Amino acid sequence: MVPAGLLVARGLDGPAAAFAGDALYAALIYVVVAAVSVRARSAVVAAVATAICAAIEAFQLTGIPAALAQSVPAAALVLGTTFQWTDLLAYLLGAVSAALVDAVTRRAAGSSRGAPNSPSSGARPPHPPGGTPSR
């Protein structure tokens, strides 16, 4: 995912490339949030990832990320530099797409993030009936 994001950010031009890069950024944030909170449902992880991205986008309104990027150019890759409302839509699309991929791949593997029957749900396995068998 990181190589795809860097390819879009550095190898392509135009608004579509910027939109795709922002969507990939949100998908990467989704992966990080999912790795930290393995028991959370995919929809919750997508909402948290979208909120993080929106908070970073709103932070750009302060001008601090642009000033920081002057002295640390790599900061522009993480924080961006200018607010654009279309970025918010790209973040939502990226996080929801990541959640769908997560749900489909987990279902195909026979698991589901945070569902009551999954190992990540925290539910205890059922006890054998009748306790310990006697000999």
Side-chain angles (χ1 to χ4, degrees):
M1 186 176 322
V2 172
L6 291 174
L7 175 67
V8 169
R10 297 291 180 221
L12 303 174
D13 291 328
F19 192 87
D22 290 338
L24 284 169
Y25 179 85
L28 178 62
I29 299 299
Y30 178 94
V31 169
V32 171
V33 172
V36 171
S37 55
V38 295
R39 293 184 180 179
R41 294 184 178 269
S42 298
V44 172
V45 175
V48 170
T50 302
I52 290 169
C53 292
I56 291 170
E57 190 70 21
F59 184 51
Q60 293 171 2
L61 291 169
T62 66
I64 294 171
L68 183 60
Q70 293 293 326
S71 58
V72 183
L77 290 174
V78 177
L79 300 175
T81 55
T82 55
F83 178 86
Q84 292 181 333
W85 70 269
T86 55
D87 290 354
L88 298 174
L89 181 60
Y91 297 145
L92 179 63
L93 181 67
V96 168
S97 296
L100 289 174
V101 169
D102 186 23
V104 168
T105 56
R106 285 180 170 277
R107 189 166 294 132
S111 175
S112 60
R113 178 177 294 285
N117 61 347
S118 73
S120 65
S121 70
R124 293 183 178 194
H127 292 284
T132 307
S134 59
R135 293 183 180 203

